[in-house]
Amino acid sequence: MRYFIVDDDRASRMMLSQIIDENHLGTVIGEAQNGQDAIPQILAIQPDIVLIDLLMPKLDGIATIERLREQQFTGLFIMISQVVNKDMVAESYEKGIEFFIHKPINKVEVEKVLRKTEEQYRLKNSILAIRQSLSNVEPPIITQTQKTSRDHILAILNDMGIIGEVGSEDITQIIELLLLDKQHIAPLPPLKELYERVAELTKTTPEEITKESKAIEQRVRRTILAAMINLANLGIVDYTNSEFEYYAPRYFDFTEIRLLMSKIEKNEHRKAKVNIKKFIQVLFSDINSKIN
Protein backbone atom coordinates (compact mmCIF):
# COMPACT_ATOMS: atom_id res chain seq x y z
CA MET A 1 0.00 0.00 0.00
CA ARG A 2 1.09 3.56 -0.78
CA TYR A 3 0.31 5.95 2.09
CA PHE A 4 0.14 9.74 2.41
CA ILE A 5 0.07 11.29 5.91
CA VAL A 6 -1.55 14.66 6.66
CA ASP A 7 -1.02 15.87 10.24
CA ASP A 8 0.17 19.16 11.71
CA ASP A 9 2.01 17.24 14.46
CA ARG A 10 5.43 16.18 13.16
CA ALA A 11 5.83 13.58 15.93
CA SER A 12 2.56 11.89 14.88
CA ARG A 13 3.69 11.77 11.26
CA MET A 14 6.99 10.20 12.27
CA MET A 15 5.29 7.65 14.52
CA LEU A 16 2.81 6.60 11.82
CA SER A 17 5.61 6.29 9.25
CA GLN A 18 7.64 4.15 11.65
CA ILE A 19 4.68 1.80 12.35
CA ILE A 20 4.01 1.39 8.62
CA ASP A 21 7.67 0.66 7.91
CA GLU A 22 8.34 -1.68 10.85
CA ASN A 23 5.21 -3.78 10.20
CA HIS A 24 5.80 -3.95 6.43
CA LEU A 25 2.40 -2.40 5.75
CA GLY A 26 3.55 -0.42 2.71
CA THR A 27 5.38 2.79 1.85
CA VAL A 28 4.79 6.38 2.92
CA ILE A 29 5.11 8.31 -0.35
CA GLY A 30 4.33 11.78 0.98
CA GLU A 31 3.52 13.98 3.97
CA ALA A 32 1.93 17.34 4.63
CA GLN A 33 1.22 19.39 7.76
CA ASN A 34 -2.17 20.69 6.63
CA GLY A 35 -4.91 19.96 4.12
CA GLN A 36 -4.15 22.96 1.93
CA ASP A 37 -0.61 21.74 1.25
CA ALA A 38 -1.72 18.12 0.95
CA ILE A 39 -4.36 18.44 -1.79
CA PRO A 40 -2.08 19.16 -4.80
CA GLN A 41 0.41 16.50 -3.69
CA ILE A 42 -2.27 13.83 -3.21
CA LEU A 43 -3.84 14.58 -6.58
CA ALA A 44 -0.42 14.40 -8.23
CA ILE A 45 0.85 11.12 -6.75
CA GLN A 46 -2.51 9.36 -6.12
CA PRO A 47 -1.75 7.35 -2.94
CA ASP A 48 -3.86 4.30 -2.10
CA ILE A 49 -4.62 5.40 1.46
CA VAL A 50 -4.54 8.83 3.13
CA LEU A 51 -4.13 9.09 6.91
CA ILE A 52 -5.47 12.52 7.81
CA ASP A 53 -5.81 14.48 11.05
CA LEU A 54 -9.28 15.77 11.89
CA LEU A 55 -8.24 19.15 13.32
CA MET A 56 -5.56 21.12 11.43
CA PRO A 57 -4.80 24.77 10.63
CA LYS A 58 -5.72 26.28 7.23
CA LEU A 59 -7.90 23.34 6.16
CA ASP A 60 -9.23 20.62 8.48
CA GLY A 61 -9.53 16.92 7.69
CA ILE A 62 -13.21 16.90 6.71
CA ALA A 63 -12.87 19.88 4.33
CA THR A 64 -9.74 18.33 2.79
CA ILE A 65 -11.51 15.04 2.12
CA GLU A 66 -14.47 16.91 0.62
CA ARG A 67 -12.24 18.83 -1.81
CA LEU A 68 -10.31 15.73 -2.82
CA ARG A 69 -13.54 13.85 -3.54
CA GLU A 70 -14.77 16.80 -5.61
CA GLN A 71 -11.63 16.40 -7.72
CA GLN A 72 -12.32 12.68 -8.24
CA PHE A 73 -9.69 11.28 -5.85
CA THR A 74 -10.65 7.62 -5.32
CA GLY A 75 -8.23 6.53 -2.57
CA LEU A 76 -9.32 5.55 0.94
CA PHE A 77 -9.20 7.76 4.03
CA ILE A 78 -8.39 7.00 7.67
CA MET A 79 -9.14 9.82 10.11
CA ILE A 80 -6.82 10.55 13.06
CA SER A 81 -8.10 12.49 16.07
CA GLN A 82 -7.83 12.87 19.83
CA VAL A 83 -11.18 14.68 19.90
CA VAL A 84 -14.21 12.40 20.25
CA ASN A 85 -17.02 14.66 19.06
CA LYS A 86 -19.95 12.57 17.88
CA ASP A 87 -21.15 15.12 15.32
CA MET A 88 -17.69 15.52 13.77
CA VAL A 89 -17.15 11.76 13.75
CA ALA A 90 -20.53 11.23 12.08
CA GLU A 91 -19.72 13.89 9.48
CA SER A 92 -16.36 12.22 8.80
CA TYR A 93 -18.03 8.89 8.08
CA GLU A 94 -20.53 10.66 5.82
CA LYS A 95 -17.61 12.04 3.81
CA GLY A 96 -16.39 8.50 3.24
CA ILE A 97 -13.65 7.67 5.77
CA GLU A 98 -13.06 3.97 6.42
CA PHE A 99 -11.86 4.00 10.04
CA PHE A 100 -10.82 6.25 12.93
CA ILE A 101 -7.44 6.09 14.71
CA HIS A 102 -7.48 7.66 18.15
CA LYS A 103 -4.75 9.84 19.62
CA PRO A 104 -2.50 9.27 21.45
CA ILE A 105 -1.41 6.88 18.70
CA ASN A 106 -1.39 3.22 19.67
CA LYS A 107 0.82 0.91 17.61
CA VAL A 108 -1.50 -2.10 17.87
CA GLU A 109 -4.57 -0.07 16.88
CA VAL A 110 -2.79 1.51 13.91
CA GLU A 111 -1.54 -1.82 12.57
CA LYS A 112 -4.97 -3.41 12.93
CA VAL A 113 -6.79 -0.52 11.25
CA LEU A 114 -4.32 -0.33 8.36
CA ARG A 115 -4.57 -4.05 7.68
CA LYS A 116 -8.38 -3.83 7.62
CA THR A 117 -8.23 -0.81 5.32
CA GLU A 118 -5.83 -2.62 2.99
CA GLU A 119 -8.28 -5.50 2.86
CA GLN A 120 -11.13 -3.15 1.95
CA TYR A 121 -8.95 -1.45 -0.67
CA ARG A 122 -8.16 -4.78 -2.34
CA LEU A 123 -11.80 -5.87 -2.15
CA LYS A 124 -12.92 -2.59 -3.72
CA ASN A 125 -10.42 -3.00 -6.58
CA SER A 126 -11.47 -6.62 -7.12
CA ILE A 127 -15.11 -5.59 -7.41
CA LEU A 128 -14.20 -2.83 -9.88
CA ALA A 129 -12.19 -5.29 -11.96
CA ILE A 130 -15.08 -7.76 -12.01
CA ARG A 131 -17.53 -5.03 -13.03
CA GLN A 132 -15.26 -3.89 -15.83
CA SER A 133 -14.85 -7.43 -17.14
CA LEU A 134 -18.59 -8.06 -16.95
CA SER A 135 -19.39 -4.84 -18.77
CA ASN A 136 -18.23 -6.55 -21.98
CA VAL A 137 -20.21 -9.73 -21.36
CA GLU A 138 -23.85 -10.28 -22.23
CA PRO A 139 -26.05 -10.54 -19.14
CA PRO A 140 -26.76 -14.13 -18.05
CA ILE A 141 -30.21 -15.63 -18.29
CA ILE A 142 -30.35 -16.03 -14.51
CA THR A 143 -30.13 -12.54 -13.01
CA GLN A 144 -30.67 -13.36 -9.36
CA THR A 145 -28.95 -15.96 -7.20
CA GLN A 146 -29.80 -17.12 -3.70
CA LYS A 147 -27.29 -16.31 -0.99
CA THR A 148 -25.46 -19.27 0.50
CA SER A 149 -25.13 -19.87 4.23
CA ARG A 150 -21.48 -18.77 3.96
CA ASP A 151 -22.59 -15.48 2.36
CA HIS A 152 -24.91 -14.81 5.31
CA ILE A 153 -22.23 -15.71 7.87
CA LEU A 154 -19.62 -13.48 6.24
CA ALA A 155 -22.11 -10.60 6.00
CA ILE A 156 -22.69 -10.71 9.77
CA LEU A 157 -18.99 -11.03 10.57
CA ASN A 158 -18.36 -8.09 8.23
CA ASP A 159 -20.95 -6.01 10.10
CA MET A 160 -18.96 -6.63 13.29
CA GLY A 161 -15.69 -5.72 11.58
CA ILE A 162 -14.05 -9.15 12.00
CA ILE A 163 -14.17 -10.53 8.46
CA GLY A 164 -10.38 -10.28 8.24
CA GLU A 165 -9.65 -11.76 11.67
CA VAL A 166 -7.79 -15.07 11.71
CA GLY A 167 -10.61 -16.84 13.60
CA SER A 168 -13.40 -15.77 11.22
CA GLU A 169 -12.87 -18.86 9.04
CA ASP A 170 -13.03 -21.12 12.12
CA ILE A 171 -16.34 -19.53 13.14
CA THR A 172 -17.68 -19.92 9.60
CA GLN A 173 -16.74 -23.61 9.52
CA ILE A 174 -18.35 -24.23 12.93
CA ILE A 175 -21.66 -22.75 11.72
CA GLU A 176 -21.50 -24.70 8.46
CA LEU A 177 -20.98 -27.94 10.41
CA LEU A 178 -23.96 -27.16 12.65
CA LEU A 179 -26.13 -26.47 9.61
CA LEU A 180 -25.25 -29.90 8.23
CA ASP A 181 -26.21 -31.53 11.53
CA LYS A 182 -29.92 -30.72 11.85
CA GLN A 183 -30.34 -32.45 15.22
CA HIS A 184 -28.14 -29.77 16.78
CA ILE A 185 -30.54 -26.89 16.17
CA ALA A 186 -30.87 -26.80 19.99
CA PRO A 187 -29.11 -27.17 22.27
CA LEU A 188 -25.62 -26.42 21.00
CA PRO A 189 -23.15 -29.36 21.30
CA PRO A 190 -20.09 -28.88 23.53
CA LEU A 191 -17.63 -26.35 22.13
CA LYS A 192 -14.79 -28.85 22.44
CA GLU A 193 -16.65 -31.19 20.09
CA LEU A 194 -17.12 -28.39 17.57
CA TYR A 195 -13.44 -27.44 17.68
CA GLU A 196 -12.44 -31.07 17.14
CA ARG A 197 -14.78 -31.45 14.18
CA VAL A 198 -13.30 -28.36 12.53
CA ALA A 199 -9.78 -29.58 13.31
CA GLU A 200 -10.58 -32.90 11.61
CA LEU A 201 -11.09 -31.04 8.35
CA THR A 202 -7.34 -30.44 8.09
CA LYS A 203 -5.70 -32.80 10.63
CA THR A 204 -5.60 -36.59 10.86
CA THR A 205 -3.78 -37.89 13.95
CA PRO A 206 -5.31 -37.54 17.45
CA GLU A 207 -2.33 -35.45 18.57
CA GLU A 208 -2.70 -33.04 15.65
CA ILE A 209 -6.46 -32.76 16.16
CA THR A 210 -6.06 -31.99 19.88
CA LYS A 211 -3.40 -29.36 19.20
CA GLU A 212 -5.42 -27.75 16.40
CA SER A 213 -8.59 -27.76 18.54
CA LYS A 214 -6.84 -25.68 21.20
CA ALA A 215 -5.53 -23.30 18.53
CA ILE A 216 -9.05 -22.94 17.08
CA GLU A 217 -10.45 -22.07 20.52
CA GLN A 218 -7.86 -19.31 20.97
CA ARG A 219 -8.44 -17.92 17.47
CA VAL A 220 -12.20 -17.89 17.97
CA ARG A 221 -11.86 -16.22 21.38
CA ARG A 222 -9.59 -13.48 20.01
CA THR A 223 -11.89 -12.89 17.05
CA ILE A 224 -15.00 -12.55 19.22
CA LEU A 225 -13.12 -10.17 21.53
CA ALA A 226 -12.20 -8.10 18.47
CA ALA A 227 -15.90 -7.93 17.58
CA MET A 228 -16.70 -6.74 21.12
CA ILE A 229 -14.04 -4.02 20.88
CA ASN A 230 -15.28 -2.90 17.46
CA LEU A 231 -18.88 -2.66 18.67
CA ALA A 232 -17.80 -0.88 21.86
CA ASN A 233 -16.04 1.72 19.70
CA LEU A 234 -19.19 2.10 17.60
CA GLY A 235 -21.25 2.57 20.75
CA ILE A 236 -18.91 5.30 22.00
CA VAL A 237 -19.20 7.19 18.72
CA ASP A 238 -22.94 6.66 18.22
CA TYR A 239 -25.07 4.78 20.75
CA THR A 240 -27.89 4.57 18.19
CA ASN A 241 -25.70 2.97 15.53
CA SER A 242 -27.73 0.15 13.91
CA GLU A 243 -24.96 -2.48 14.14
CA PHE A 244 -24.30 -1.58 17.78
CA GLU A 245 -27.99 -1.67 18.69
CA TYR A 246 -28.55 -5.07 17.07
CA TYR A 247 -25.37 -7.05 17.72
CA ALA A 248 -24.10 -5.74 21.09
CA PRO A 249 -27.00 -6.94 23.28
CA ARG A 250 -27.88 -9.97 21.13
CA TYR A 251 -24.52 -11.66 20.57
CA PHE A 252 -22.68 -10.61 23.73
CA ASP A 253 -23.06 -10.00 27.44
CA PHE A 254 -24.00 -6.34 27.25
CA THR A 255 -22.49 -5.56 30.65
CA GLU A 256 -19.11 -6.60 29.19
CA ILE A 257 -19.65 -4.31 26.19
CA ARG A 258 -20.40 -1.41 28.54
CA LEU A 259 -17.25 -2.18 30.56
CA LEU A 260 -15.21 -2.22 27.35
CA MET A 261 -16.65 1.14 26.33
CA SER A 262 -15.59 2.56 29.70
CA LYS A 263 -12.07 1.08 29.37
CA ILE A 264 -11.66 2.46 25.85
CA GLU A 265 -12.74 5.94 26.93
CA LYS A 266 -10.25 5.80 29.82
CA ASN A 267 -7.55 4.36 27.51
CA GLU A 268 -7.26 1.27 29.73
CA HIS A 269 -6.35 -2.29 28.71
CA ARG A 270 -9.15 -3.68 26.53
CA LYS A 271 -9.87 -6.96 28.27
CA ALA A 272 -13.27 -8.59 28.62
CA LYS A 273 -14.99 -11.91 29.36
CA VAL A 274 -15.78 -13.67 26.09
CA ASN A 275 -18.88 -15.88 25.98
CA ILE A 276 -18.06 -18.05 22.95
CA LYS A 277 -21.06 -20.34 23.35
CA LYS A 278 -23.56 -17.48 23.31
CA PHE A 279 -21.95 -15.96 20.22
CA ILE A 280 -21.99 -19.26 18.29
CA GLN A 281 -25.55 -20.09 19.38
CA VAL A 282 -26.96 -16.72 18.32
CA LEU A 283 -25.03 -16.68 15.05
CA PHE A 284 -26.22 -20.20 14.22
CA SER A 285 -29.80 -19.23 15.07
CA ASP A 286 -29.63 -16.12 12.84
CA ILE A 287 -28.14 -18.01 9.89
CA ASN A 288 -30.58 -20.89 10.29
CA SER A 289 -33.51 -18.46 10.12
CA LYS A 290 -32.11 -16.70 7.05
CA ILE A 291 -31.73 -19.85 4.96
CA ASN A 292 -34.98 -21.57 6.02
Side-chain angles (χ1 to χ4, degrees):
M1 293 288 98
R2 298 159 62 251
Y3 295 92
F4 193 100
I5 304 173
V6 190
D7 196 314
D8 59 327
D9 180 20
R10 184 172 177 272
S12 293
R13 297 199 305 271
M14 290 178 63
M15 190 177 298
L16 289 167
S17 295
Q18 185 177 2
I19 293 171
I20 291 168
D21 182 59
E22 289 179 351
N23 291 279
H24 309 289
L25 295 166
T27 305
V28 177
I29 60 173
E31 296 182 9
Q33 60 183 0
N34 60 68
Q36 187 172 301
D37 295 341
I39 289 174
Q41 296 184 62
I42 291 172
L43 293 174
I45 61 180
Q46 294 291 315
D48 303 316
I49 299 170
V50 176
L51 291 91
I52 185 166
D53 193 18
L54 176 60
L55 301 177
M56 295 182 293
K58 296 186 180 179
L59 200 65
D60 66 28
I62 294 174
T64 303
I65 292 171
E66 195 168 27
R67 293 193 188 181
L68 285 167
R69 289 300 189 212
E70 287 172 356
Q71 298 185 61
Q72 310 306 311
F73 175 67
T74 59
L76 303 184
F77 291 100
I78 299 172
M79 187 70 80
I80 311 162
S81 178
Q82 63 185 19
V83 178
V84 183
N85 180 296
K86 291 184 178 180
D87 292 334
M88 295 182 78
V89 170
E91 186 179 359
S92 300
Y93 277 112
E94 287 173 4
K95 297 301 179 184
I97 72 157
E98 303 299 323
F99 294 103
F100 253 87
I101 291 176
H102 301 91
K103 287 186 177 181
I105 291 171
N106 178 283
K107 179 181 177 181
V108 174
E109 180 186 18
V110 172
E111 182 183 357
K112 187 173 181 179
V113 167
L114 294 191
R115 291 198 187 281
K116 286 181 181 294
T117 309
E118 177 184 353
E119 186 178 319
Q120 292 194 194
Y121 177 86
R122 297 192 186 284
L123 179 61
K124 175 184 173 183
N125 280 1
S126 297
I127 292 171
L128 287 174
I130 292 169
R131 285 176 177 170
Q132 288 172 359
S133 64
L134 291 178
S135 65
N136 298 319
V137 179
E138 292 184 5
I141 296 173
I142 300 173
T143 57
Q144 187 175 5
T145 57
Q146 187 175 0
K147 284 187 175 182
T148 65
S149 59
R150 177 168 281 257
D151 291 333
H152 288 298
I153 297 166
L154 294 178
I156 290 175
L157 299 184
N158 185 59
D159 283 347
M160 296 188 200
I162 54 173
I163 194 74
E165 295 290 334
V166 67
S168 63
E169 180 60 23
D170 297 310
I171 292 171
T172 302
Q173 289 178 337
I174 288 171
I175 301 301
E176 288 177 331
L177 286 172
L178 287 171
L179 291 170
L180 290 173
D181 194 354
K182 294 299 182 181
Q183 67 175 336
H184 281 145
I185 292 177
L188 199 69
L191 291 174
K192 183 180 178 182
E193 177 186 324
L194 293 175
Y195 301 147
E196 289 176 349
R197 290 174 64 188
V198 172
E200 287 169 358
L201 296 174
T202 56
K203 306 299 178 183
T204 52
T205 69
E207 293 80 9
E208 289 177 332
I209 291 170
T210 299
K211 185 177 180 180
E212 180 63 12
S213 297
K214 292 178 180 178
I216 289 169
E217 179 181 10
Q218 292 305 312
R219 293 197 297 263
V220 169
R221 185 179 301 278
R222 287 197 298 268
T223 299
I224 295 174
L225 177 59
M228 294 173 71
I229 292 171
N230 292 342
L231 289 169
N233 275 305
L234 283 178
I236 291 170
V237 174
D238 180 8
Y239 206 76
T240 63
N241 177 279
S242 58
E243 280 84 9
F244 176 80
E245 284 189 325
Y246 181 79
Y247 294 113
R250 182 171 170 80
Y251 279 71
F252 308 96
D253 295 327
F254 195 64
T255 52
E256 291 297 322
I257 298 290
R258 291 296 303 273
L259 283 171
L260 264 178
M261 292 168 67
S262 176
K263 288 178 181 178
I264 291 169
E265 289 179 316
K266 296 175 182 176
N267 202 26
E268 296 177 355
H269 183 58
R270 301 173 186 183
K271 191 175 181 181
K273 293 179 182 177
V274 177
N275 190 334
I276 299 176
K277 193 159 190 174
K278 178 177 181 178
F279 182 93
I280 297 296
Q281 181 72 72
V282 176
L283 178 57
F284 171 66
S285 177
D286 274 359
I287 301 303
N288 199 44
S289 64
K290 287 178 184 291
I291 62 176
N292 293 319

XYZ file of all heavy atoms in Angstrom, residues 1 10 15 31 82 109 113 145 153 191 211 216 225 227 273 282:
130
model
N 0.824 -1.197 0.000
C 0.000 0.000 0.000
C 0.861 1.250 0.000
O 1.914 1.307 0.640
C -0.921 0.009 1.236
C -1.988 -1.079 1.245
S -3.334 -0.830 0.058
C -2.779 -1.864 -1.275
N 4.316 16.899 13.785
C 5.430 16.177 13.157
C 5.704 14.839 13.845
O 6.005 13.834 13.193
C 6.692 17.044 13.189
C 7.892 16.438 12.486
C 9.036 17.444 12.387
N 10.217 16.843 11.772
C 11.160 16.191 12.434
N 11.065 16.075 13.753
N 12.197 15.664 11.802
N 5.711 8.876 13.870
C 5.289 7.646 14.517
C 4.507 6.756 13.550
O 4.737 5.546 13.471
C 4.433 7.967 15.750
C 4.153 6.752 16.634
S 3.212 7.193 18.117
C 4.366 8.318 18.900
N 4.041 13.435 2.713
C 3.519 13.980 3.969
C 3.182 15.448 3.783
O 3.748 16.122 2.920
C 4.560 13.857 5.099
C 4.935 12.451 5.477
C 5.936 12.431 6.632
O 6.179 13.520 7.213
O 6.462 11.352 6.957
N -7.750 13.084 18.381
C -7.833 12.868 19.833
C -9.145 13.444 20.371
O -9.469 13.276 21.531
C -6.647 13.527 20.538
C -6.577 15.037 20.407
C -5.310 15.598 21.043
O -4.354 14.876 21.259
N -5.314 16.879 21.331
N -3.368 -0.570 17.553
C -4.574 -0.071 16.878
C -4.262 0.341 15.445
O -5.003 0.013 14.516
C -5.162 1.110 17.650
C -6.429 1.665 16.988
C -6.942 2.936 17.649
O -6.166 3.593 18.380
O -8.104 3.280 17.414
N -5.963 -1.336 12.135
C -6.794 -0.516 11.254
C -6.237 -0.499 9.833
O -6.983 -0.612 8.849
C -6.908 0.927 11.808
C -7.497 1.861 10.758
C -7.783 0.945 13.055
N -29.364 -14.716 -7.847
C -28.951 -15.956 -7.204
C -29.237 -15.882 -5.712
O -29.197 -14.820 -5.109
C -27.435 -16.192 -7.400
O -26.715 -15.077 -6.882
C -27.104 -16.381 -8.873
N -23.169 -15.736 6.732
C -22.230 -15.712 7.868
C -21.228 -14.578 7.690
O -20.998 -13.772 8.603
C -21.483 -17.052 7.986
C -22.450 -18.194 8.289
C -20.416 -16.967 9.097
C -21.847 -19.581 8.098
N -18.556 -27.086 22.993
C -17.634 -26.353 22.129
C -16.423 -27.203 21.759
O -15.936 -27.147 20.628
C -17.178 -25.063 22.819
C -18.246 -23.973 22.986
C -17.694 -22.821 23.815
C -18.718 -23.470 21.631
N -4.176 -30.610 19.260
C -3.404 -29.364 19.197
C -4.138 -28.301 18.391
O -4.224 -27.134 18.801
C -2.035 -29.640 18.575
C -1.107 -28.434 18.565
C 0.258 -28.803 17.994
C 1.189 -27.589 17.978
N 2.527 -27.925 17.424
N -7.775 -23.463 17.583
C -9.051 -22.938 17.084
C -9.769 -22.174 18.190
O -10.292 -21.077 17.963
C -9.936 -24.086 16.559
C -9.357 -24.642 15.254
C -11.376 -23.609 16.331
C -10.003 -25.930 14.794
N -13.527 -11.353 20.758
C -13.116 -10.172 21.532
C -12.929 -8.974 20.613
O -13.316 -7.852 20.965
C -11.824 -10.472 22.287
C -11.232 -9.297 23.089
C -12.221 -8.788 24.134
C -9.917 -9.707 23.754
N -14.551 -8.395 17.909
C -15.901 -7.928 17.577
C -16.466 -7.073 18.717
O -17.091 -6.036 18.484
C -16.821 -9.118 17.309
N -14.582 -10.502 29.351
C -14.987 -11.910 29.359
C -15.675 -12.224 28.038
O -16.576 -11.509 27.619
C -15.945 -12.174 30.530
C -15.292 -12.042 31.895
C -16.311 -12.294 32.995
C -15.686 -12.115 34.380
N -16.689 -12.288 35.466
N -26.156 -17.778 18.945
C -26.957 -16.715 18.323
C -26.655 -16.618 16.830
O -27.571 -16.464 16.013
C -26.694 -15.359 19.022
C -27.465 -14.242 18.312
C -27.113 -15.422 20.482
